[in-house]
Amino acid sequence: MMRPSLAMLTAAAIACSPRETSPGTAMTGPTDVTTDETPPPPPPPTTPATVTIPGEVVCTDPSARDGGTWFTRLDWPGTLPGDLWIWGSGVWTFDMDGDGDDDVVGATETGLLAWTNEGGTLVLDEARFAAFELSYAIGGSSADYDGDGDIDLLVGRFERPMMLLANDGVGQFTDVTATAIPNADRVYDPATGATLNPSGSTRTTTSSWGDMDGDGDLDLYVGNYGFVDESGTVETADFLPADPNFLLVNRGDGTFEDQSDRLPVAMHDGYDYAGGFFDLDDDADLDLMSVNDFGVAYPNVVLSNDGGAFTRNTDALGLDGLIVTGMGLAITDFNGDGLPDFAMSEWNKFKLLASQGALWVDTADSVGLSPNGGVGQKVAWGLQFTDVDNDGDDDLPVAFGFIANDNPLWTNPLVEHDALYIATTGHLDDVAATHDFDDGGVVRGFGLADFNADGFVDVFKRDLLGPSYAYLSNCDTSAWLDVDLRQPGTPNVYAIGARIQVVADTEVQTHWVTAGGLNFASNSPTRQHFGLGDAAVVDIVVRWPDGAQSTVPDVPTRRVVRIDRP
């Protein structure tokens, strides 16, 4: 698809960031004119940046992919104990031990398992999390919450307290929940005193990190689920409110202040499966969105952020108040306008909400994004945009999986094959069967990474009833670029909340650096992957979390580049 040129992109940034509406003067007759136009906002401040450019990564065997085989599936040792519901669902892919390679952590019904990356091979490490009581782990998010340069883990659990595990830099973790997070084990709603659930604590299904108040450190949103009465129906919306969510403000000393009372009742009540911090209006403030299951009872909620103050954003048409059986969430700039678009997975359908200013329009049907009931696709869970074929358009892997229940209205096949939607000129086509990606296991979330460092995205899945497995992409000569941001000397070291735009000739791709809230209970690296077709050189424009902008011209492709803000 055609995207704006670099000149157009710069002009758009000046004119539209932040987006404002001119009040004008009401027109009362055909000869009246608007006289008090608001001038455009000033351009964003610029800041220098340094880029580290390593040598080119050369594909050693492009013929493997040329022959039509995109992936090599490898089953990894360590089947994760699972259940046919949601615990044990999530996957984290990140550099756990600080050696520069992507590792894996998987949630299980009894705890966490780790796989360390040794030269592109994942090696099971059963002992790394054995000391922690992490039963009924669902999944979670990963971020450097304390600004020490390594990646920490937030673990969500079902009817158990969430846990925050601090990383010492070489992949050894310490449980800091009791000192860092107030009320993490709450069994009562602090506002009303009502019992949350009889088993104690909350059902944490999503979490997201971001600097919501602009003070430089990472705050935390935690979304919770609720008790599902399977005798009820979606149609009559007879569900009790879910467990209240958390809004935790980072004090800058490794601890958080519970400010959950700032969230509206509608956001607390929803059955969150996904959602978190995203810049919806392109003003460099992180807004907050919850994606809810059982949307007939509890529709999605969007909060607009204005300098750290949240208000319900009913003007986010198509997002706020959206009724979905929301299971998962993915973000990209699918229509090429520089603003975020969202895919949401549901029962027997999808939504692809394309931005049109402050309006998001569901375009799923028009672009071909729909389940194939012929191969059992009914309950879609995790999904995440990434460029699988490195052609410059983000594609969409999707995990499907059976869920056990006693409600006859919620029947679904035991075997549901996963999908791989490839973008071609604005259309999405499921090619999973062609490339042996169409597993029929019970999958919820998955992790994206580049385990073998060849410039092509790999996928790590876990089957709740079978082995864990990775799809290692075979490479070819297509161009690509991975962009890794750093803000040394600041608490937000990995620049969560930044926007990255890569410009190749007249093509502009836009990604956002996020930590949590996407896929389903899973988290992939903050490093952003851009497929670039045959481009040899690109320009990179970074808008940092505080709104300042850096431009790095003439960057060669087929590399992992690091951009540091001095």
Side-chain angles (χ1 to χ4, degrees):
M1 67 186 69
M2 291 299 296
R3 297 183 174 90
S5 67
L6 179 58
M8 295 168 61
L9 177 65
T10 304
I14 294 173
C16 301
S17 180
R19 281 189 261 171
E20 294 186 1
T21 302
S22 172
T25 298
M27 298 180 66
T28 58
T31 60
D32 292 339
V33 295
T34 300
T35 58
D36 62 338
E37 294 183 356
T38 301
T46 59
T47 189
T50 59
V51 58
T52 303
I53 303 176
E56 181 180 8
V57 175
V58 177
C59 178
T60 58
D61 184 14
S63 64
R65 194 174 181 99
D66 291 343
T69 304
W70 283 6
F71 302 98
T72 299
R73 170 175 163 158
L74 297 175
D75 289 8
W76 300 112
T79 296
L80 300 174
D83 189 276
L84 293 177
W85 211 55
I86 62 172
W87 40 77
S89 300
V91 173
W92 295 261
T93 48
F94 67 108
D95 183 6
M96 178 169 55
D97 50 14
D99 65 354
D101 295 325
D102 294 322
D103 308 298
V104 180
V105 174
T108 84
E109 186 176 342
T110 57
L112 301 183
L113 287 182
W115 288 264
T116 57
N117 189 339
E118 298 182 8
T121 298
L122 298 178
V123 178
L124 180 65
D125 181 355
E126 297 181 276
R128 192 172 297 259
F129 295 98
F132 303 111
E133 205 296 289
L134 286 166
S135 60
Y136 290 90
I138 294 176
S141 55
S142 51
D144 180 15
Y145 89 95
D146 51 7
D148 63 356
D150 49 54
I151 307 297
D152 312 298
L153 290 182
L154 192 286
V155 183
R157 303 164 71 201
F158 198 85
E159 296 185 344
R160 306 288 191 278
M162 63 178 163
M163 291 180 66
L164 180 60
L165 303 179
N167 192 340
D168 69 353
V170 294
Q172 300 302 314
F173 292 85
T174 302
D175 179 8
V176 297
T177 315
T179 56
I181 300 181
N183 304 320
D185 59 349
R186 69 185 183 193
V187 296
Y188 299 101
D189 181 347
T192 65
T195 302
L196 296 183
N197 65 68
S199 300
S201 199
T202 51
R203 308 165 176 94
T204 295
T205 44
T206 188
S207 55
S208 176
W209 300 86
D211 181 11
M212 69 180 189
D213 50 13
D215 65 354
D217 51 35
L218 293 178
D219 310 300
L220 175 62
Y221 170 77
V222 177
N224 296 317
Y225 207 69
F227 172 72
V228 178
D229 182 358
E230 293 182 5
S231 65
T233 67
V234 173
E235 286 77 8
T236 57
D238 46 358
F239 294 94
L240 296 173
D243 302 342
N245 300 330
F246 286 84
L247 186 65
L248 300 168
V249 178
N250 197 325
R251 294 191 179 102
D253 60 359
T255 68
F256 294 84
E257 180 181 348
D258 189 351
Q259 296 188 8
S260 305
D261 58 354
R262 295 173 56 188
L263 300 176
V265 171
M267 183 166 276
H268 281 300
D269 287 352
Y271 285 59
D272 284 23
Y273 261 156
F277 292 114
F278 310 102
D279 185 8
L280 301 177
D281 53 4
D282 200 41
D283 65 352
D285 284 333
L286 293 178
D287 309 299
L288 192 55
M289 178 171 65
S290 64
V291 177
N292 297 330
D293 198 2
F294 309 123
V296 171
Y298 304 108
N300 292 358
V301 176
V302 172
L303 303 184
S304 180
N305 184 353
D306 183 9
F310 286 110
T311 55
R312 179 81 183 261
N313 188 1
T314 55
D315 290 332
L317 301 178
L319 291 181
D320 185 80
L322 181 66
I323 295 174
V324 292
T325 53
M327 319 293 268
L329 180 66
I331 183 175
T332 195
D333 176 19
F334 189 79
N335 61 8
D337 65 354
L339 300 173
D341 308 312
F342 296 95
M344 298 178 188
S345 52
E346 297 192 72
W347 278 66
N348 210 31
K349 66 175 105 173
F350 293 97
K351 284 188 167 51
L352 179 56
L353 299 158
S355 62
Q356 297 181 6
L359 170 68
W360 280 264
V361 177
D362 184 9
T363 60
D365 289 342
S366 64
V367 303
L369 182 58
S370 62
N372 180 359
V375 294
Q377 293 176 350
K378 187 167 187 179
V379 188
W381 297 87
L383 71 173
Q384 192 160 344
F385 282 108
T386 189
D387 195 344
V388 171
D389 52 3
N390 280 347
D391 68 346
D393 293 312
D394 276 345
D395 311 303
L396 190 65
V398 181
F400 285 83
F402 171 78
I403 183 167
N405 65 85
D406 297 323
N407 191 319
L409 295 175
W410 302 344
T411 58
N412 61 114
L414 180 60
V415 177
E416 302 191 32
H417 292 276
D418 292 343
L420 178 60
Y421 293 95
I422 298 298
T424 306
T425 318
H427 198 269
L428 290 168
D429 299 293
D430 183 6
V431 300
T434 303
H435 298 287
D436 297 325
F437 193 85
D438 57 335
D439 305 287
V442 181
V443 182
R444 301 284 188 260
F446 55 87
L448 301 178
D450 184 5
F451 297 116
N452 53 7
D454 65 353
F456 282 71
V457 175
D458 308 316
V459 183
F460 188 97
K461 300 182 187 180
R462 62 172 261 55
D463 186 340
L464 290 176
L465 295 183
S468 302
Y469 42 91
Y471 280 94
L472 299 184
S473 291
N474 297 317
C475 59
D476 62 18
T477 59
S478 300
W480 54 273
L481 195 71
D482 281 10
V483 181
D484 206 3
L485 301 184
R486 291 291 190 280
Q487 298 187 120
T490 71
N492 186 4
V493 176
Y494 291 86
I496 307 303
R499 184 189 68 193
I500 304 173
Q501 295 179 303
V502 170
V503 185
D505 295 325
T506 61
E507 300 289 313
V508 179
Q509 296 184 53
T510 304
H511 287 185
W512 294 265
V513 180
T514 61
L518 299 171
N519 206 308
F520 180 87
S522 298
N523 203 132
S524 296
T526 56
R527 182 181 67 250
Q528 295 297 303
H529 175 79
F530 296 85
L532 292 167
D534 58 0
V537 178
V538 299
D539 300 324
I540 303 174
V541 180
V542 178
R543 188 179 70 187
W544 299 93
D546 64 357
Q549 185 166 290
S550 300
T551 300
V552 182
D554 301 326
V555 178
T557 60
R558 298 180 181 88
R559 291 163 170 84
V560 178
V561 301
R562 174 169 158 172
I563 300 176
D564 283 74
R565 180 180 183 175

